[in-house]
Amino acid sequence: MKTSETKNHSLAKCRNEMKLKLPSLSVNEAIARAAVAVFCSQADPTPSELADIKCAVSEAVTNCIVHAYRETVGTIYITVKLFEDGLVRIEIKDKGCGIEDVDTARQPLYTTDAANERSGMGFTVMESFCDKVRVFSGCKKGTTVTLFKYLKGRE
């Protein structure tokens, strides 16, 4: 793992923080992705690093919209923290239905979509674009996905 968590990250100072709260409407996926990208831009990431962040955020927010609240509209809570050591920590939280079995849900191609309109690759995509992904969930208690991305930045 290449995150700064392995380099005593707990000692790194938070440089800046953003909190965002949005209704779980599909139009807000693009807003969440753009807002997080603009906020992270102050760390001078490479275009590739920024694209990774945008893609991972898009997947996490889409999971809230499609799975957490299903037939209703709820709230998506996003917190982004930039640390002095280059770590970006993005927390995407919902108070929706939760995930019954997180380990199973993280398996490639697993989906709860009965209509088979979803690929079941959301967590796999997040994991491929981030250094670390944590998922905490409880049935009827919601889900928190935390994305960790260490930025090398432009050199």
Side-chain angles (χ1 to χ4, degrees):
M1 172 186 347
K2 50 189 173 171
T3 68
S4 58
E5 281 196 322
T6 61
K7 301 180 210 168
N8 292 324
H9 170 71
S10 61
L11 301 176
K13 184 178 177 187
C14 181
R15 288 185 356 193
N16 203 356
E17 177 179 5
M18 174 185 80
K19 292 187 178 198
L20 182 62
K21 184 169 81 169
L22 296 166
S24 62
L25 303 171
S26 61
V27 297
N28 287 336
E29 178 271 326
I31 292 168
R33 181 182 62 231
V36 171
V38 169
F39 181 79
C40 290
S41 292
Q42 67 189 286
D44 199 26
T46 64
S48 177
E49 290 170 333
L50 203 54
D52 290 352
I53 288 168
K54 288 165 70 173
C55 188
V57 167
S58 181
E59 291 295 333
V61 170
T62 297
N63 277 353
C64 294
I65 294 166
V66 172
H67 301 291
Y69 296 113
R70 300 189 194 249
E71 302 297 320
T72 186
V73 175
T75 303
I76 301 169
Y77 305 87
I78 302 171
T79 302
V80 185
K81 291 184 178 183
L82 300 176
F83 292 89
E84 286 181 340
D85 61 356
L87 182 74
V88 177
R89 182 181 181 273
I90 305 163
E91 183 181 273
I92 299 168
K93 182 178 181 177
D94 65 66
K95 294 182 180 179
C97 64
I99 301 170
E100 188 174 321
D101 183 343
V102 172
D103 290 335
T104 299
R106 290 180 81 159
Q107 296 300 312
L109 304 177
Y110 174 82
T111 183
T112 58
D113 178 28
N116 276 334
E117 294 177 8
R118 300 287 167 182
S119 69
M121 294 297 289
F123 285 122
T124 303
V125 169
M126 287 180 242
E127 289 168 346
S128 69
F129 289 116
C130 294
D131 294 308
K132 185 175 183 177
V133 176
R134 281 195 205 146
V135 182
F136 295 103
S137 190
C139 286
K140 299 181 184 174
K141 294 183 180 178
T143 301
T144 300
V145 173
T146 308
L147 309 170
F148 298 87
K149 178 76 173 172
Y150 185 76
L151 302 177
K152 294 176 187 159
R154 301 169 199 234
E155 296 175 2

